[in-house]
Structures are given as C-alpha cells and as structure tokens.
Amino acid sequence: VLENSMMNAEVKEGEILPPTIQRLMKGYNKYLRPFFDNGPVTVGMSLDIASIDTISEINMDYTATIFLRQRWTDERLVFEGNKSLSLDGRLVELLWVPDTFIVDSKKSFLHDITVENRLIRIFPNGTVLYALRITTTVACNMDLTKYPMDKQTCTLQLESWGYNINDVMFYWTRGNESVSGLDTLQLAQYTVEDHYTSVSEAVYETGVTTVLTMTTLMMGARTSLPNANCFIKAIDVYLGICFSFIFGALIEYAVAHFCTLTHADAHMLVYGHHIHDFDDDKNGIVMTISSQSSRVKRRKEPATSPTAAPASLELTVSPASPSGSEARPEPPPEPSHWCLTLLATLRKVVRSIYCCHVRNPHHIDNHSRIIFPLSFVMVNLLYWTYYLYF
C-alpha cells in the first residue's frame, strides 16, 4: 500500500502510465539502489563534449557544455520483448539514478529549453541509459610561466556523492574512446592536443569512492596577453631580453660618439701644443737675431762718425745667448697664462683617458655589428630550447 501510494504521488492526476511501465513500477522502490544486497552496481560513463565556451586565466577555470551518458543495469526493470522503451525524461523521477557529481565544478546547470534535456531508455535486460545535457564551469589550475608557449592540463572528474566503492563503481565504457567531440573542437585561444581517461579511487572520511577523470591537454594559441599578472611569463622574459639589447645598442652609440669626440679633441690639443712650442722657438730665434744685429750696428757707428752722440739710454731686450754670456731680464707675465694652465690640465686628463683609449672609435661600431647579432642569436637559442623542451 505504501509503495503504491508513493508511485501514485509521482504521477500527476489524470496521467496514466503504459501497462508495461505500470508492471515495472509495481513494487519498485527508487530509494534503493539495484543489487542492494548483492554487491555494488557498476555504472558506465561516456562524454560528448559539445563545446568549450570560455577559458579564463583570471578565474582559472573553463566552461563546457557536455552530454553525459550513464549506463547501468537494474534487475528490477527486466521485461519481456526485444525492443527498448524510450521514456519521457520526466519519468526519471520514478527511477533510481546514480548521484553523480562533477568534482571541481564551480557552477552547473541542466538545460531545460523547451523541456529538461534528459533522456531515459530501458532495455529488456534491465539496462538503463540515462543522458543529460549539462553546462558546467570547472576549475583548472593553470601555469602561465611559459606563455605564450604554455600547455594547460585541465581535468573533468566524476564521482558518486553518497556511495562508496562497496555500493557504486564507475568505469569508462570504451576507455579513451568514451570521450568524443574534442577532435573536431575549435577554440579561439587554445588548440586541443590530446586527451585521455583514467580511473582512480579517492579516500574520504565517509569511505572510498571511484573517481573517473578525463584529462585534456590544451596548447595556448592566443594573440592577446592574459590578465593574470601573478606570473613571470615567457613572453615577459623575451621582452626583457629585447629591451636589454635595445638599451645596449643605445649605450654603444653613446660610447662610440663620446670616443669619437674625445679622439678629435685630443688630437687638437696635441696639435695646438706643438704649434705653441714651435711659435715660442721661432720667436726666440727672431729676437736673438734682432739683438745681435743691433749690437753690430752700434759698434760700427763710432768708427764712421767722429761726432759725439747725444747722451741716451737704450735698453735692448733679447733672449739669452746659448753661451749664457749675456743676461736676459725676466719677461713680463702674459695675460693668457691661465689659458695655458687650463690646456695643460686638459692634456693630463686626455692622457689619463688614453689608458683605456680606443685608437680608432670606428672599431666600436664595427665590432658591435658582429657582437650584437651573434649574442642575440645565442640568447634566442637558449631561450627557445629552455621553454620548448624543459
């Protein structure tokens, strides 16, 4: 009587079940799993990935729409015949179904337009096929250190919420072929490289349970930078290398320009110094010759002219003779003496710079044309080798 009242409560007034379903539902208790006293019920799983809508680096998750198909055997639903019964999805409320959930799901929903997207099919041997259309947002740990050559591994795990392995056992119906749709999937930011399935057991305080895992390998193929700024990405390293070479080229230009100017100034200073010494020597010779000619003239004048010369004082300033027989008075200080001191100081500075002097500043550019490209090629070889193979 209790079972009949429970069944009648599930069926709305005015709705009459087909005779076959009425016979199956007679004495059926949906609150008890199949083979309740005869070991665990095995549930086969298969997935069809309809689409992967978004992959978020900020939230570390992806959103996918999937068709989840579950298959198990319920000995209470065996009936005679050779055809399966396709039932309205709303009749699933009358049957026992696995309490499957997606482990890392953040939010999920069952599509219900125009009706709930559920399918239930019963085969004569008691096998039940239950299919759902679900959209779920699943967490995915992402490592963006090798962006944009990054490869992400995202998983979709299915478990039983309330049953352990003594009650319910999950398995993939056809191994890796249980997951379909990824081969033809087109993503805007990623390329799906591979996928594989696995079966494991997770231990919780409430028991041990079967875990079905679908792992998807996706390679980044994005054209815009991700908004996750908590990583030093591979592109950041590459941009740093490029900026370093650009800055090095600017430094090389400044050094070459400075050396060129210094090289020209040094030659001008040395050349000016030689000219100044040459002028001093020339002036000394001229003054000596002039003074000697004046003495000879004065000696000849008394012999030719007997008349007395008027009293006068003539002071002739001439440079000292090589023999040192005649004294030379000190010359008056020149007004440009501070200029000579400054030039001498500059000469000392130039000579100190000459310790690290490049004889030809144009060699800096010539060497840089070879060193910079070779260095950039070597750094690129190391960079791509590390990020592609390690």
Side-chain angles (χ1 to χ4, degrees):
V1 176
L2 179 62
E3 292 176 355
N4 290 333
S5 62
M6 292 173 59
M7 185 182 69
N8 292 332
E10 299 291 346
V11 181
K12 294 182 180 179
E13 185 177 358
E15 293 181 352
I16 301 176
L17 294 176
T20 304
I21 302 300
Q22 288 183 358
R23 288 195 300 268
L24 293 177
M25 292 296 101
K26 186 177 181 180
Y28 186 91
N29 188 352
K30 70 173 184 177
Y31 300 106
L32 297 179
R33 65 173 179 83
F35 306 102
F36 184 74
D37 294 327
N38 298 317
V41 56
T42 57
V43 180
M45 297 281 188
S46 62
L47 290 176
D48 188 3
I49 309 298
S51 65
I52 295 180
D53 305 320
T54 59
I55 300 176
S56 174
E57 296 88 359
I58 301 176
N59 300 322
M60 296 289 182
D61 58 30
Y62 68 95
T63 301
T65 298
I66 63 174
F67 295 98
L68 174 62
R69 291 183 288 269
Q70 305 175 83
R71 187 187 298 266
W72 69 94
T73 300
D74 192 338
E75 78 284 2
R76 297 169 295 181
L77 298 178
V78 175
F79 63 92
E80 296 180 357
N82 54 6
K83 293 183 180 180
S84 61
L85 296 176
S86 296
L87 307 179
D88 189 286
R90 288 168 288 192
L91 290 179
V92 74
E93 303 294 339
L94 302 178
L95 304 177
W96 177 91
V97 294
D99 56 349
T100 307
F101 78 103
I102 301 173
V103 178
D104 296 321
S105 175
K106 294 182 177 180
K107 57 181 179 180
S108 303
F109 65 90
L110 176 67
H111 290 261
D112 56 0
I113 302 298
T114 57
V115 294
E116 289 186 344
N117 296 174
R118 298 193 290 188
L119 176 146
I120 191 78
R121 184 171 297 164
I122 304 175
F123 295 87
N125 62 350
T127 299
V128 181
L129 174 63
Y130 180 43
L132 301 169
R133 181 173 174 240
I134 303 171
T135 294
T136 179
T137 300
V138 185
C140 176
N141 258 342
M142 298 184 182
D143 183 8
L144 298 175
T145 55
K146 292 189 176 182
Y147 174 88
M149 290 84 65
D150 56 319
K151 293 183 180 181
Q152 306 301 337
T153 302
C154 296
T155 61
L156 180 69
Q157 294 183 332
L158 302 173
E159 292 184 12
S160 172
W161 175 255
Y163 295 106
N164 57 28
I165 58 175
N166 297 322
D167 298 317
V168 174
M169 292 285 292
F170 287 165
Y171 69 96
W172 294 108
T173 55
R174 299 184 303 276
N176 283 349
E177 295 181 357
S178 302
V179 178
S180 60
L182 288 175
D183 298 335
T184 58
L185 200 63
Q186 298 292 330
L187 301 180
Q189 295 180 329
Y190 285 89
T191 300
V192 179
E193 289 193 334
D194 197 7
H195 74 279
Y196 58 89
T197 58
S198 63
V199 181
S200 60
E201 293 183 358
V203 180
Y204 301 102
E205 293 183 0
T206 55
V208 180
T209 181
T210 309
V211 181
L212 296 187
T213 304
M214 180 201 68
T215 304
T216 305
L217 302 178
M218 295 179 292
M219 184 174 181
R222 291 158 292 183
T223 57
S224 59
L225 285 173
N227 296 323
N229 54 5
C230 55
F231 296 96
I232 299 178
K233 299 176 284 295
I235 194 171
D236 298 330
V237 177
Y238 192 78
L239 290 177
I241 292 173
C242 294
F243 288 148
S244 300
F245 273 91
I246 294 173
F247 184 73
L250 294 176
I251 295 297
E252 182 273 332
Y253 172 77
V255 170
H257 185 65
F258 174 77
C259 290
T260 302
L261 295 179
T262 304
H263 190 268
D265 294 341
H267 278 287
M268 290 299 296
L269 287 175
V270 174
Y271 179 69
H273 173 64
H274 290 323
I275 291 177
H276 178 72
D277 293 342
F278 176 73
D279 289 341
D280 290 344
D281 295 340
K282 181 179 179 182
N283 292 334
I285 294 172
V286 172
M287 293 175 66
T288 303
I289 295 175
S290 177
S291 60
Q292 293 293 336
S293 61
S294 298
R295 293 193 192 97
V296 172
K297 184 177 180 180
R298 286 199 298 272
R299 290 172 185 172
K300 290 182 179 179
E301 283 178 354
T304 57
S305 179
T307 58
S312 62
L313 177 62
E314 182 179 355
L315 179 61
T316 302
V317 179
S318 62
S321 61
S323 59
S325 57
E326 296 183 6
R328 173 185 172 187
E330 292 292 332
E334 298 181 4
S336 61
H337 179 69
W338 63 274
C339 293
L340 299 177
T341 306
L342 180 60
L343 289 175
T345 305
L346 289 176
R347 282 198 297 270
K348 292 180 180 179
V349 173
V350 170
R351 287 170 185 169
S352 64
I353 295 177
Y354 267 31
C355 295
C356 55
H357 174 67
V358 179
R359 293 187 177 275
N360 189 352
H362 296 289
H363 289 170
I364 297 178
D365 284 331
N366 295 335
H367 295 329
S368 298
R369 291 190 187 103
I370 299 175
I371 294 174
F372 270 81
L374 288 180
S375 301
F376 191 73
V377 169
M378 292 299 297
V379 171
N380 268 272
L381 288 177
L382 295 175
Y383 174 87
W384 292 103
T385 301
Y386 174 77
Y387 280 104
L388 290 179
Y389 299 104
F390 293 98

